[in-house]
Amino acid sequence: MCITCEHLTEEEKEMLVGLLLDNQYALELLSSEINDIENGNKKVNQRQYQKLLTLYDRIRFEMN
Amino acid sequence: MCITCEHLTEEEKEMLVGLLLDNQYALELLSSEINDIENGNKKVNQRQYQKLLTLYDRIRFEMN
């Protein structure tokens, strides 16, 4: 759950995600987050980590 | 409307927006898009441009 996202409307979230995907930043953002987790710089539970990996693969192989 | 977003679930969109906001990339992404539009490198209608400006201000002044 994304707490800060609650301040944004659905349309605003769509705009941000659209910008991310249109500019190919989504993969960069995800891989940097995954690297931080794997290097121990960030702590997330296994389920969240798995979701990040799945989303990375989906964007990389299904949307490019 | 974000066409590519349709491939993503609500949870996936929330994860991406959460990463953007947590890592302070949202403002960078928005300002680079706004600069591209103002420099004529990207074409959007006035309404979309206004929405980007509004979202930039909301994130900058309401969420930081």
Side-chain angles (χ1 to χ4, degrees):
Chain A
M1 229 340 268
C2 163
I3 298 136
T4 42
C5 301
E6 283 165 27
H7 302 281
L8 298 174
T9 64
E10 282 313 306
E11 188 181 16
E12 287 172 330
K13 284 183 225 173
E14 292 251 331
M15 274 173 67
L16 285 172
V17 172
L19 286 178
L20 255 183
L21 297 171
D22 294 347
N23 292 289
Q24 311 285 323
Y25 286 139
L27 288 179
E28 212 178 295
L29 191 64
L30 285 162
S31 58
S32 117
E33 185 78 359
I34 290 164
N35 287 337
D36 281 350
I37 295 163
E38 289 171 351
N39 299 334
N41 299 331
K42 277 194 181 171
K43 294 264 174 276
V44 297
N45 61 45
Q46 184 63 24
R47 193 161 168 265
Q48 179 70 5
Y49 173 59
Q50 200 51 52
K51 280 184 195 171
L52 287 165
L53 294 177
T54 305
L55 181 54
Y56 181 88
D57 287 344
R58 261 172 54 72
I59 290 175
R60 183 147 175 253
F61 299 111
E62 293 178 26
M63 297 176 65
N64 276 325
Chain B
M1 223 347 261
C2 164
I3 297 139
T4 42
C5 299
E6 283 166 29
H7 301 281
L8 298 175
T9 64
E10 282 314 305
E11 189 182 15
E12 287 172 332
K13 285 182 225 172
E14 291 250 333
M15 275 174 66
L16 285 172
V17 172
L19 287 178
L20 256 183
L21 296 172
D22 294 347
N23 294 288
Q24 310 284 326
Y25 287 140
L27 287 181
E28 211 178 295
L29 191 65
L30 283 163
S31 56
S32 118
E33 185 78 0
I34 290 165
N35 287 338
D36 281 351
I37 294 163
E38 288 171 351
N39 299 335
N41 299 333
K42 277 195 180 172
K43 294 263 174 279
V44 295
N45 60 47
Q46 184 62 25
R47 193 160 170 267
Q48 179 70 5
Y49 173 59
Q50 201 49 55
K51 281 183 193 170
L52 288 165
L53 294 177
T54 305
L55 181 53
Y56 181 88
D57 287 342
R58 258 169 58 69
I59 291 175
R60 183 147 175 251
F61 299 112
E62 293 176 30
M63 296 176 65
N64 278 323

